[in-house]
Amino acid sequence: MKKSILWAALILTAAGCKASRDRDQTAAPPSAAITSVTGIPLDSALALLDVELRSAIDNKLDHTGFERFQRAEALTDRLLETRYPFQWLKGYSYSVESKLRQIQALADRILAQHRMGYPADSAMTDLRAAHGEVVWLRKALREGGGTMPLGIDKLLSGQDTSPSASPIGATEPEEGH
């Protein structure tokens, strides 16, 4: 765990935690410095995302807040490169990848609102929702992994859906994703 936190700290350092306010307009945004989270455990990447989203919220998407949001958005684009501890969330019958894609979609929506010139206040609701999803996912990951739920075709066919019935094709998820 300490090793993954060290890697996460290195990524943040490489990303330039403190961006210069007098940056040249042609300079790449801070999000461009975040190149990859491949091989980092998912919870470590989500911890980084949590920090960036909270900072963006605390700064109400002002100049500094938006820079932090850009870094968060870049992280959401790379979450699928992380190592998943399992594929399905225990007790929720929900895939980890689907939740990551929802978080990514919220971040993309906030970015689109900014690019279209919406006031920062209008994006704050989505920003808080994205942060809430990250917090929820981190909690759900701590509860462990579960088995793949029955597909809709199995449910509609009337097959046994009792808890003791083992879903066809449901196996223990492999390491990674």
Side-chain angles (χ1 to χ4, degrees), residues 3-4 6 12 14 30 33 39 41 43 56 72 81 83 85 98 101 107 110 115 118 134 158 161 163 167 169 172 174:
K3 189 175 182 178
S4 61
L6 177 62
L12 275 179
D43 190 58
E81 299 171 5
R83 287 182 294 148
S98 294
R101 290 187 187 281
I110 296 163
R115 288 182 177 160
Y118 285 49
V134 169
T161 59
E172 215 36 47
E174 56 189 71

Side-chain angles (χ1 to χ4, degrees), residues 25 44 57:
Q25 293 295 331
S44 297
I57 290 168

Side-chain angles (χ1 to χ4, degrees), residues 92-113:
Y92 300 100
S93 297
Y94 212 87
S95 88
V96 172
E97 184 176 345
S98 294
K99 185 52 77 175
L100 293 175
R101 290 187 187 281
Q102 289 174 354
I103 292 168
Q104 181 182 28
L106 273 170
D108 289 345
R109 177 180 164 141
I110 296 163
L111 187 60
Q113 289 174 358

